[in-house]
């Protein structure tokens, strides 16, 4: 009996001592995919358009919150397994499921996808963190709270969020760019390169705009920002 109790205690201590740093993920081949649509609950998204890497998507999860450090294997379940990732013709669709209210720790869904250049991206979630690197045709993001990073290019960018932090660093300018950023509280940094001819407008209750580039009427990139409180840096 004593040995059985010791064995049980030993098993329990190992299970509770192991932090849940990540759960097993799903992988999907994206050959031929030219559009990504993500909806549902909160997630962390990383999108690239590298021609030197396989076109594929993975979805996994990471435990967060105070209980994650002692997350027991007895409760182990991958919250990404409840999310739906599928192909519809040339479109990748991902619907992120919410974490169960019975789950003792927060589960963050992580999405990674490498897609062909000039693909379109559409995301509509309550809260999201998005990092994009490469060349995209169009980017449309809608949320309540969003943190968006773009390093590369997109001809059309449409961002809408109550609270929004956006860092858009264009690696090239093709003079076809239309950028619209709308929300209540906006913190935006836009980089186009030295000497780029741009046009921009800011409509806000209160705003602070710092630009090293002159505002040239009719020029593209065209930037339109609307919000209650706007802080913007353009360079």
């Amino acid at each position: 009996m004593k040995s059985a109790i010791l064995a049980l205690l030993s098993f329990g201590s190992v299970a509770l001592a192991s932090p849940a740093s990540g759960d097993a993920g799903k992988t999907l081949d994206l050959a031929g995919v030219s559009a990504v649509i993500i909806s549902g609950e909160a997630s962390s998204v990383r999108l690239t358009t590298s021609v030197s890497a396989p076109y594929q998507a993975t979805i996994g999860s990471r435990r967060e919150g105070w209980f994650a450090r002692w997350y027991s294997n007895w409760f182990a379940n991958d919250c990404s397994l409840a999310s739906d990732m599928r192909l519809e013709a040339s479109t990748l669709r991902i619907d992120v499921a919410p974490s169960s209210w019975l789950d003792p720790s927060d589960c963050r869904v992580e999405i990674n996808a490498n897609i062909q250049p000039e693909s379109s991206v559409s995301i509509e979630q309550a809260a999201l963190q998005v990092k994009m690197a490469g060349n995209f045709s169009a980017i449309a993001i809608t949320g309540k709270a969003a943190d968006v990073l773009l390093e590369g290019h997109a001809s059309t960018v449409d961002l809408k969020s109550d609270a929004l932090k956006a860092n858009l660093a264009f690696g090239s300018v093709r003079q076809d760019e239309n950028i619209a950023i709308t929300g209540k509280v906006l913190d935006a940094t836009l980089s186009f390169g030295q000497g780029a001819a741009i046009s921009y407008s800011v409509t806000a209750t209160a705003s602070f705009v710092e630009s090293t580039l002159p505002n040239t009427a009719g020029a593209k990139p065209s930037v339109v920002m609307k919000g209650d409180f706007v802080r913007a840096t353009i360079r």
Side-chain angles (χ1 to χ4, degrees):
M1 176 63 73
K2 182 178 180 180
S3 61
I5 293 174
L6 290 175
L8 180 59
L9 290 174
S10 176
F11 170 78
S13 63
V14 170
L16 292 173
S18 301
S21 59
D23 295 314
K26 310 173 187 176
T27 302
L28 197 61
D29 182 19
L30 300 184
V33 168
S34 59
V36 176
I37 299 176
I38 302 173
S39 60
E41 295 299 316
S43 67
S44 174
V45 181
R46 184 175 183 273
L47 303 174
T48 57
T49 63
S50 173
V51 297
S52 60
Y55 296 140
Q56 64 181 25
T58 62
I59 182 169
S61 61
R62 180 175 295 276
R63 296 286 170 183
E64 294 181 329
W66 70 271
F67 198 80
R69 181 175 179 84
W70 300 281
Y71 197 75
S72 171
N73 288 339
W74 289 348
F75 300 101
N77 64 303
D78 182 355
C79 62
S80 68
L81 293 176
S83 300
D84 183 32
M85 181 170 67
R86 66 189 185 278
L87 294 179
E88 295 180 356
S90 59
T91 299
L92 169 65
R93 288 186 177 272
I94 301 175
D95 183 32
V96 179
S99 296
S100 170
W101 67 274
L102 292 173
D103 201 324
S105 71
D106 295 328
C107 185
R108 182 178 70 171
V109 174
E110 297 181 332
I111 298 168
N112 291 275
N114 185 50
I115 53 181
Q116 65 185 20
E118 303 305 324
S119 295
S120 65
V121 176
S122 176
I123 303 175
E124 184 172 355
Q125 293 183 299
L128 62 150
Q129 180 183 53
V130 187
K131 296 181 179 180
M132 295 170 286
N135 296 323
F136 303 86
S137 61
I139 297 170
I141 295 175
T142 301
K144 295 294 185 181
D147 185 345
V148 180
L149 170 65
L150 168 66
E151 295 178 327
H153 185 271
S155 295
T156 302
V157 178
D158 188 2
L159 308 179
K160 298 177 182 178
S161 181
D162 289 347
L164 173 63
K165 180 179 180 180
N167 189 334
L168 310 180
F170 283 74
S172 63
V173 171
R174 304 175 188 174
Q175 299 181 334
D176 67 345
E177 297 86 359
N178 289 288
I179 302 163
I181 305 175
T182 306
K184 294 182 179 179
V185 180
L186 307 179
D187 185 354
T189 300
L190 300 96
S191 305
F192 300 103
Q194 186 175 3
I198 68 166
S199 62
Y200 65 88
S201 67
V202 177
T203 303
T205 303
S207 65
F208 176 80
V209 180
E210 180 182 6
S211 178
T212 60
L213 301 176
N215 191 356
T216 304
K220 289 191 177 182
S222 169
V223 180
V224 176
M225 287 181 277
K226 297 180 181 180
D228 292 339
F229 304 97
V230 176
R231 182 174 69 176
T233 302
I234 303 173
R235 57 196 178 206

